[in-house]
Amino acid sequence: MYVIYRMEGAEKEEILGRCAEMLEEHMSDIRVPRNIRQSVNKVKNELRIGNGSQAVRATAVISELEDLAANPNILSHTRTLVWNIVSQLETVSVEE
């Protein structure tokens, strides 16, 4: 038997906030190229104050993060962080 668990709005907002915090921490790494830091900052702001529902914001950010992960200038640990955040955001984007 399967139990379907639906996240509440506060839980979704907590995931979005946690992802934004992870991005914020990573932006202070001086090894990360400036253009990557600028993209990360844009994504972080969209997570925190973007337009639309939580699922819409998560979906938009997932798309931007996938583009960022494909950037050849991105460091491997940044790419790993990006995919980790994408997997967390996918839990938000699929429910609504």
Side-chain angles (χ1 to χ4, degrees), residues 77-89:
H77 69 279
T78 304
R79 185 174 285 116
T80 302
L81 173 76
V82 165
W83 288 122
N84 182 13
I85 291 172
V86 165
S87 68
Q88 290 182 38
L89 292 175

Side-chain angles (χ1 to χ4, degrees), residues 19-89:
C19 290
E21 286 175 13
M22 291 169 63
L23 291 168
E24 178 74 37
E25 289 173 15
H26 195 68
M27 284 180 11
S28 63
D29 187 349
I30 61 171
R31 296 174 294 166
V32 177
R34 183 179 10 211
N35 64 328
I36 302 296
R37 285 195 310 253
Q38 289 171 342
S39 296
V40 166
N41 189 42
K42 178 183 170 198
V43 168
K44 176 191 64 100
N45 288 336
E46 188 160 337
L47 273 176
R48 289 208 169 135
I49 57 174
N51 295 329
S53 69
Q54 295 156 329
V56 170
R57 289 180 3 223
T59 302
V61 167
I62 288 170
S63 177
E64 292 181 35
L65 288 174
E66 287 173 344
D67 291 343
L68 183 63
N71 187 322
N73 295 327
I74 195 169
L75 300 172
S76 60
H77 69 279
T78 304
R79 185 174 285 116
T80 302
L81 173 76
V82 165
W83 288 122
N84 182 13
I85 291 172
V86 165
S87 68
Q88 290 182 38
L89 292 175

